[in-house]
Amino acid sequence: MWLPLLVFVGLLLLYRWYRQSHILENLSDKYVFITGCDSGFGYLLAKQLDKRGMKVLAACLTEKGAENLKKEASSRLQTVMLDITDSESVSSAAKWATDIVGDAGLWGLVNNAGIGVPMSPNAWQTKADFAKVLNVNLLGSFDVTVNFLPLIIKARGRIVNLSSCCGRLAVVGGGYCPSKFGVEALSDSLRRELRDFGVKVSIIEPSGFKTEILLLEHHLKAVGHLWSNLPSQIKDYYGEQYYQKRELSY
Amino acid sequence: MWLPLLVFVGLLLLYRWYRQSHILENLSDKYVFITGCDSGFGYLLAKQLDKRGMKVLAACLTEKGAENLKKEASSRLQTVMLDITDSESVSSAAKWATDIVGDAGLWGLVNNAGIGVPMSPNAWQTKADFAKVLNVNLLGSFDVTVNFLPLIIKARGRIVNLSSCCGRLAVVGGGYCPSKFGVEALSDSLRRELRDFGVKVSIIEPSGFKTEILLLEHHLKAVGHLWSNLPSQIKDYYGEQYYQKRELSY
């Protein structure tokens, strides 16, 4: 009669112990630096980790974004202005973080900042359109990673890079998919080269989440701009109808 | 006695007919534009297609490369100076080609030009090192493709992009693998967007071929340069021994 019950309780305790062994301890000692905290995943993650008691260093592109976040977070959370396409901004943010984390180092870096527009047939884009997205998503993430690396190695920390399902499947033209394919390559070579320093590298590949990157009006505006600046020869190949239909398909 | 022989000869003729139906006709009417013909695959392909009777438009980065190629080719082959990282150079090469091909359009474009160095741990590179490789391999190929597109569409032609086995597996840090991952993404979105225009897009993924991109002294020089410019903190993490061993492993 009692034996099955004892076995059941024993298994329950074992399961609880196993579950709890996966829960991270001393969260309040750990520093995490997150880029792109103005909105979307960055904003949500910063709030979430702050709530759990971590020491969040949140990088924002705009003053407004930083103010919004501060209102929603505890006094532990600190913000810094960061444009990841600007090398000086990146290195000054790294210096700022170095002063804060001290000997503890950086437990985690989340390369979240990224842009999506313009997305369109490649033929509609100039080199500058294409390069703009690469500069943020790929070159920016590279620059932040390399600048923060000494802090991460010090803590035997981890790097989390925001890739995308578009990092595996090139569903649309423009710089977005190539930039995310690039993030996959960068993350994989980083993963291998940092393993011996005890640093882990992970990627996240979100599909369709309702963050600002999928905001319809941004995409319509960007594609409308491309279409109106298109050389007439290419415009004729596609035709006004194609453009109208494309607009409707969003 | 005669029946098996007749069947055998019949099958032989059928096979011959099938084989010949795959051989491209009127090669001498067809224009092909190839980038990076100074050496390696570009140089070999230009010579090969010229020999077969095609009208080869060979883009070279250096005067010396163009002269070398001309010596080895027929008078049909024409060369043009092209730095694919320079937008003006790309658009002037496109104008040059437009004047030559006229209404025939461009039967084929081969985006072959590319660079490999520096290849090293990501931590050893600056943003400029990383960007340099992307600028040639990914942005350059994009720019050439978009500028030549009207000519290719006119001929319902084809685009062949030189990717790499490193476009699937990130075996080393730096810009090379991300640039080739990016070429895979770019090519796939181009393939789909140009199908309706009758334009085909293919990629080639070479592994280890003995072209200049694998020239040992280039790599040693580039890595030596990176190592000597490394901040002492990162240098200490790796140690002189790591660098020496790395040099030997080439």
Side-chain angles (χ1 to χ4, degrees):
Chain A
M1 171 71 199
W2 290 103
L3 190 66
L5 194 66
L6 274 175
V7 169
F8 176 73
V9 171
L11 283 175
L12 210 67
L13 288 172
L14 213 62
Y15 174 69
R16 204 180 132 197
W17 166 82
Y18 172 77
R19 279 278 300 241
Q20 287 188 336
S21 73
H22 281 71
I23 295 174
L24 204 62
E25 281 174 3
N26 307 327
L27 282 179
S28 57
D29 296 344
K30 294 177 168 61
Y31 286 99
V32 180
F33 186 90
I34 311 167
T35 65
C37 293
D38 304 72
S39 66
F41 291 141
Y43 176 77
L44 293 169
L45 182 65
K47 278 208 310 184
Q48 174 85 282
L49 297 185
D50 174 62
K51 213 169 161 185
R52 298 275 197 96
M54 294 189 96
K55 288 175 176 160
V56 175
L57 308 177
C60 295
L61 183 63
T62 63
E63 290 280 357
K64 201 182 145 203
E67 276 164 31
N68 280 345
L69 180 60
K70 269 184 190 160
K71 269 184 222 154
E72 302 274 327
S74 77
S75 59
R76 254 192 325 273
L77 181 139
Q78 298 180 63
T79 60
V80 65
M81 288 296 105
L82 172 61
D83 174 359
I84 63 168
T85 64
D86 173 1
S87 286
E88 277 180 31
S89 174
V90 171
S91 67
S92 90
K95 271 191 208 104
W96 173 83
T98 307
D99 289 342
I100 293 175
V101 303
D103 285 337
L106 193 61
W107 183 83
L109 164 67
V110 184
N111 278 309
N112 163 71
I115 60 169
V117 297
M119 288 177 180
S120 76
N122 291 292
W124 296 14
Q125 302 206 9
T126 63
K127 188 182 173 183
D129 296 320
F130 190 84
K132 193 180 84 174
V133 183
L134 279 173
N135 276 343
V136 182
N137 298 0
L138 181 52
L139 284 165
S141 298
F142 172 84
D143 204 19
V144 171
T145 302
V146 169
N147 273 276
F148 281 76
L149 210 47
L151 303 185
I152 303 165
I153 291 178
K154 198 178 269 171
R156 297 176 75 85
R158 69 253 320 108
I159 300 169
V160 179
N161 289 338
L162 261 286
S163 178
S164 162
C165 58
C166 297
R168 290 190 180 256
L169 199 65
V171 293
V172 67
Y176 189 71
C177 296
S179 77
K180 292 301 189 181
F181 271 62
V183 166
E184 302 257 332
L186 170 63
S187 305
D188 205 33
S189 63
L190 273 174
R191 177 181 64 80
R192 247 175 289 117
E193 93 184 47
L194 296 177
R195 202 174 45 184
D196 290 344
F197 295 108
V199 173
K200 285 181 183 158
V201 180
S202 314
I203 50 170
I204 298 178
E205 293 168 327
S207 53
F209 286 83
K210 219 176 173 178
T211 66
E212 269 196 35
I213 219 162
L214 285 179
L215 213 63
L216 185 60
E217 59 188 84
H218 288 180
H219 286 276
L220 289 181
K221 201 178 143 195
V223 171
H225 181 76
L226 292 178
W227 179 254
S228 60
N229 285 299
L230 215 54
S232 60
Q233 196 179 13
I234 296 287
K235 225 172 184 165
D236 289 345
Y237 281 131
Y238 281 88
E240 191 71 28
Q241 231 184 339
Y242 180 93
Y243 172 61
Q244 302 289 356
K245 216 171 132 194
R246 193 177 175 86
E247 253 204 324
L248 286 174
S249 76
Y250 276 111
Chain B
M1 171 73 203
W2 290 103
L3 191 65
L5 195 65
L6 273 175
V7 168
F8 177 73
V9 171
L11 284 173
L12 211 65
L13 288 172
L14 213 63
Y15 175 69
R16 203 180 134 195
W17 166 83
Y18 171 77
R19 280 278 300 241
Q20 286 189 337
S21 73
H22 280 72
I23 294 174
L24 205 61
E25 280 176 3
N26 306 327
L27 281 180
S28 57
D29 297 344
K30 295 176 168 63
Y31 286 99
V32 180
F33 187 90
I34 310 167
T35 64
C37 294
D38 303 71
S39 65
F41 292 142
Y43 176 77
L44 292 170
L45 182 65
K47 279 207 311 184
Q48 175 86 281
L49 297 185
D50 174 63
K51 213 168 161 183
R52 297 273 198 99
M54 295 188 95
K55 289 174 175 161
V56 175
L57 309 177
C60 295
L61 182 64
T62 62
E63 290 281 358
K64 200 182 147 205
E67 274 164 33
N68 279 346
L69 180 59
K70 269 184 190 161
K71 270 184 222 156
E72 302 275 326
S74 78
S75 60
R76 256 191 324 276
L77 181 139
Q78 297 180 63
T79 59
V80 65
M81 288 295 106
L82 173 62
D83 173 359
I84 64 168
T85 64
D86 173 1
S87 287
E88 278 180 31
S89 174
V90 171
S91 68
S92 89
K95 271 190 209 105
W96 172 82
T98 308
D99 290 342
I100 292 175
V101 304
D103 287 335
L106 194 60
W107 182 84
L109 165 67
V110 183
N111 278 310
N112 163 71
I115 59 169
V117 295
M119 289 177 179
S120 76
N122 291 291
W124 297 13
Q125 301 207 9
T126 63
K127 188 182 175 184
D129 297 319
F130 190 83
K132 192 181 85 175
V133 183
L134 279 173
N135 276 343
V136 181
N137 298 1
L138 180 52
L139 284 164
S141 298
F142 172 84
D143 204 20
V144 170
T145 303
V146 169
N147 273 276
F148 282 77
L149 210 47
L151 304 184
I152 303 165
I153 291 177
K154 197 178 267 170
R156 299 176 73 83
R158 70 253 320 109
I159 300 169
V160 179
N161 289 338
L162 261 286
S163 178
S164 162
C165 59
C166 297
R168 291 191 178 254
L169 199 65
V171 293
V172 67
Y176 189 72
C177 297
S179 77
K180 292 301 188 181
F181 271 61
V183 166
E184 303 257 332
L186 171 64
S187 305
D188 205 35
S189 64
L190 274 173
R191 178 182 63 80
R192 249 176 284 117
E193 92 185 48
L194 296 177
R195 202 176 43 184
D196 290 343
F197 295 108
V199 173
K200 286 181 182 157
V201 180
S202 315
I203 50 170
I204 299 178
E205 292 168 327
S207 51
F209 286 83
K210 218 176 172 177
T211 65
E212 267 196 37
I213 219 163
L214 286 180
L215 214 64
L216 185 60
E217 59 187 82
H218 288 179
H219 287 275
L220 288 183
K221 201 178 143 194
V223 171
H225 181 75
L226 292 178
W227 179 254
S228 60
N229 285 299
L230 215 54
S232 60
Q233 196 177 15
I234 297 286
K235 225 172 185 166
D236 288 345
Y237 281 132
Y238 282 88
E240 191 70 29
Q241 229 184 342
Y242 180 92
Y243 171 62
Q244 301 291 356
K245 216 171 134 192
R246 192 177 176 86
E247 254 203 322
L248 286 174
S249 77
Y250 276 112

